[in-house]
Amino acid sequence: MDLFDKCERFTEHRVAQRAGFYPYFLPISENHGTEVTIGGKRLIMAGSNNYLGLTKHPKVMAAAEDALRRFGTSNNGSRFLNGTLELHVELEQRLAKFMRKEAALVYSTGYLTNLGSISALIDKGDTVILDKDAHACIVDGARLSFGDVRRFRHNDVRDLERVLSGLPQKSAKLVVVDGLYSMEGDIAPLQDIVRLCKEYGARLLVDDAHGIGVLGARGAGASEALGVEDQVDLVMGTFSKSFASLGGFIAGPKSVMDYLRHHARALIFSASMIPSSVAAALASLEILEHETGLRERLRAISDKMRNGFRAQGLEVGSGVGTPIIPIFIGDRVKTMVAWRNIYDRGVFVNAILVPAVQPGRDLLRTSYMATHQDSQLDTILRVVAEVHQEVGLELASKAS
């Protein structure tokens, strides 16, 4: 059998493209902030992770432009060798202070942050325990390690205890969860998870890529919002969401950061985060720390949209106060048809299908920015209501 045979057999995407229901890899020709242009058509963007709306903020853009002039387009090397700038060091120091940790370490992407950190920390004989809905980069980091990998049911504290209680008491253990889950917008029960980690001698890593900037009085994420940030060992975040940039970081004890700096292959053998991205992240952090009104506006928007969809009879999950609002449909074809009809009416949302979600949990992922205008939000609610009447967006299990 030829290696490429499976590639030739993969035709599902072509069927969807011919039918006009392919929602992926759509090339955006211009970003207007809360709106985008695709194929000459302007749409309201209700599917972005730009939660604070900073990608077009004048201060962020000016910082990126200044770094571009000072350092050029690339560092042409890894952090380990010639690719560390003073800007990287400044960002790490600022992040450590913001996250109230001893130290922080910046990677080129959020994906590489989890991939490199988990695989470096988990050795043979160690165990990493993951929530079943953990992000792909967490799963891949665990797979690349030499340790044992265990899973527990999503946000199920009793199942986590079942897994922990079955492990040898003396074995080294790392529990990894998301703070705010990216598909369904729900928050991990960190208070209970922290308690179990202490009881069973496990360390805890919280991937708060979607929570930092959004949750908590300071915007430091789910750990802050739930009052356990001083009890969480490691926190991971990305710059491609609230920080309006590209890259990732992990924060925790200085000894752990030093270890990762010298053992994380994804850091050592990757080119470093480019200067304009570092500067944009620094500027975004400055705004995040001082412009608290953005989080207040985002929460008000999130409440408006969640309540609006519920009033239409739609299932939007258990998330409260988060800008990720899923519309559960549970049927693959209906989800694709609904996505297309919403798109044709000028609103961009994301169609999320199995295997990205569990079977029967196909959904439209909507997400919001602090910079969305009320008129845009009203349009989104109206468009979804129209498509609901035409297609029927009730969760398949409820409709049956």
Side-chain angles (χ1 to χ4, degrees):
M1 179 181 291
D2 187 270
L3 178 67
F4 293 166
D5 285 350
K6 58 180 170 286
C7 307
E8 294 297 328
R9 293 194 302 270
F10 174 62
T11 59
E12 187 177 4
H13 65 299
R14 297 175 196 158
V15 173
Q17 288 168 340
R18 286 195 295 268
F21 295 109
Y22 186 71
Y24 309 119
F25 298 102
L26 300 178
I28 295 172
S29 59
E30 192 169 356
N31 174 15
H32 311 283
T34 55
E35 298 183 355
V36 295
T37 298
I38 300 176
K41 179 178 181 178
R42 190 150 169 160
L43 302 99
I44 299 172
M45 173 52 75
S48 172
N49 298 327
N50 180 26
Y51 301 126
L52 299 182
L54 299 182
T55 56
K56 301 284 282 190
H57 195 290
K59 291 181 181 178
V60 177
M61 295 179 68
E65 290 169 358
D66 179 66
L68 181 64
R69 287 192 293 269
R70 289 174 60 199
F71 298 104
T73 58
S74 173
N75 300 316
N76 304 106
S78 73
R79 291 290 309 276
F80 195 69
L81 296 176
N82 65 295
T84 292
L85 304 177
E86 289 181 351
L87 283 177
H88 291 113
V89 177
E90 179 185 357
L91 180 57
E92 288 171 344
Q93 292 172 343
R94 291 280 304 279
L95 285 167
K97 182 179 179 180
F98 177 69
M99 299 304 298
R100 296 184 177 175
K101 300 296 183 187
E102 287 184 353
L105 183 62
V106 167
Y107 288 73
S108 304
T109 70
Y111 200 101
L112 289 177
T113 303
N114 275 333
L115 193 76
S117 299
I118 296 170
S119 61
L121 286 172
I122 302 299
D123 290 329
K124 187 175 181 180
D126 300 337
T127 304
V128 56
I129 305 105
L130 314 178
D131 186 293
K132 283 193 174 180
D133 281 7
H135 191 272
C137 60
I138 296 173
V139 176
D140 289 352
R143 285 174 174 172
L144 283 176
S145 75
F146 292 103
D148 295 326
V149 182
R150 304 290 180 89
R151 307 292 289 271
F152 65 95
R153 288 190 295 271
H154 175 55
N155 276 353
D156 189 328
V157 177
R158 288 185 178 180
D159 199 43
L160 172 58
E161 184 166 20
R162 176 190 62 79
V163 174
L164 287 170
S165 65
L167 297 174
Q169 186 175 1
K170 292 184 178 181
S171 69
K173 300 174 273 291
L174 176 67
V175 174
V176 188
V177 300
D178 289 39
L180 170 58
Y181 284 87
S182 62
M183 292 295 105
E184 299 192 9
D186 52 337
I187 299 172
L190 292 179
Q191 294 165 326
D192 291 329
I193 293 172
V194 162
R195 175 181 56 80
L196 286 177
C197 286
K198 287 182 178 179
E199 182 176 347
Y200 290 96
R203 295 292 187 174
L204 176 60
L205 165 58
V206 175
D207 174 340
D208 220 359
H210 292 267
I212 295 172
V214 171
L215 302 176
R218 301 193 327 275
S223 299
E224 183 208 352
L226 296 175
V228 294
E229 61 180 332
D230 61 333
Q231 301 172 69
V232 171
D233 299 294
L234 300 168
V235 179
M236 173 270 178
T238 61
F239 303 129
S240 56
K241 280 76 175 176
S242 293
F243 287 86
S245 182
L246 180 65
F249 73 93
I250 187 167
K254 185 178 184 302
S255 61
V256 177
M257 298 304 107
D258 286 343
Y259 181 87
L260 292 176
R261 204 182 301 273
H262 294 87
H263 290 83
R265 294 164 65 87
L267 176 84
I268 296 171
F269 297 104
S270 287
S272 63
M273 188 177 169
I274 63 172
S276 56
S277 291
V278 184
L282 274 165
S284 295
L285 178 57
E286 182 76 18
I287 294 168
L288 193 161
E289 289 178 309
H290 294 99
E291 296 187 21
T292 58
L294 287 171
R295 283 192 299 283
E296 295 168 3
R297 169 64 178 165
L298 182 61
R299 185 179 182 93
I301 288 172
S302 303
D303 291 343
K304 172 188 173 80
M305 300 307 289
R306 187 171 280 105
N307 292 335
F309 290 139
R310 282 179 176 151
Q312 296 178 21
L314 300 174
E315 173 59 53
V316 294
S318 60
V320 176
T322 73
I324 301 167
I325 305 177
I327 299 174
F328 291 99
I329 299 174
D331 179 87
R332 184 184 186 90
V333 174
K334 187 185 287 188
T335 301
M336 299 284 274
V337 172
W339 167 82
R340 183 74 221 195
N341 287 2
I342 291 171
Y343 180 89
D344 288 342
R345 285 172 166 82
V347 177
F348 188 105
V349 300
N350 295 295
I352 308 298
L353 311 172
V354 175
V357 290
Q358 297 297 320
R361 301 290 282 179
D362 305 88
L363 59 88
L364 296 174
R365 181 189 188 269
T366 74
S367 54
Y368 301 92
M369 310 177 205
T371 47
H372 271 123
Q373 301 299 308
D374 287 336
S375 59
Q376 295 173 318
L377 302 173
D378 291 339
T379 296
I380 296 168
L381 288 171
R382 174 182 56 78
V383 165
V384 170
E386 291 173 357
V387 174
H388 184 20
Q389 290 297 315
E390 293 176 6
V391 179
L393 303 183
E394 298 95 345
L395 185 62
S397 59
K398 287 177 65 176
S400 61

